[in-house]
Amino acid sequence: MKERLKELRKELGLSQRAFCQALGLHQATYANFETGERPIKEAYIKLICKVYNVNEEWLTNGTGKMFLPKFTSSTVELLEIFDALIPPLQDYLLQQIRELKKLQDRL
C-alpha cells in the first residue's frame, strides 16, 4: 500500500506536507506510512479515501480505479428518480437514454 500512497499523492500533484494538511496529519506520521515503517490504521485509510475521493479497494488492494466517480447533484437526482420508478419504466428510461447517447454520438 505504501507505493499506492505515494502514487496517489503524486497523481494529485501534492507534496507530503500539502497532502497531510488536508488530512490533519503530521508529515512525519504520513512519511512513515509511505516508507512502510509504520502500518497505516484503517481510520487513516478511510480518511484519505473520503478527503481525496479515492477508491478504498484500490488503495488497500490495488484493484479497480484510483478515484471514485464524482456525482453531481444532477446525477444524484437522476438516480433517485430512476430508483423510484417501477421496473418497466426503468427499462423504458434506459432505452431512451441509450437512444439519446447514440444521437449525441452522431452529432
Side-chain angles (χ1 to χ4, degrees):
M1 184 169 22
K2 64 183 185 179
E3 295 85 12
R4 286 186 296 281
L5 284 170
K6 189 171 186 177
E7 182 182 349
L8 169 64
R9 185 176 56 76
K10 291 191 177 264
E11 178 69 24
L12 292 168
L14 298 174
S15 65
Q16 282 187 352
R17 182 178 181 161
F19 189 86
C20 296
Q21 283 179 332
L23 300 169
L25 287 174
H26 292 284
Q27 185 177 349
T29 300
Y30 178 77
N32 287 332
F33 296 155
E34 264 195 21
T35 61
E37 292 179 34
R38 184 174 174 189
I40 184 168
K41 295 179 181 178
E42 185 176 344
Y44 290 134
I45 292 170
K46 292 196 179 301
L47 180 63
I48 290 167
C49 292
K50 182 177 180 180
V51 170
Y52 291 111
N53 197 42
V54 173
N55 178 355
E56 189 173 339
E57 189 68 28
W58 174 84
L59 185 57
T60 56
N61 302 317
T63 57
K65 293 185 178 188
M66 183 182 292
F67 297 103
L68 296 171
K70 292 184 180 180
F71 291 115
T72 64
S73 60
S74 296
T75 305
V76 172
E77 181 182 12
L78 179 64
L79 291 171
E80 288 172 351
I81 292 169
F82 183 84
D83 193 46
L85 296 173
I86 60 174
L89 291 177
Q90 288 177 341
D91 293 340
Y92 176 77
L93 181 57
L94 281 173
Q95 180 184 11
Q96 295 304 308
I97 291 171
R98 287 184 189 110
E99 291 302 317
L100 282 171
K101 175 70 168 93
K102 286 179 191 176
L103 178 63
Q104 176 182 281
D105 291 345
R106 288 186 290 219
L107 298 176

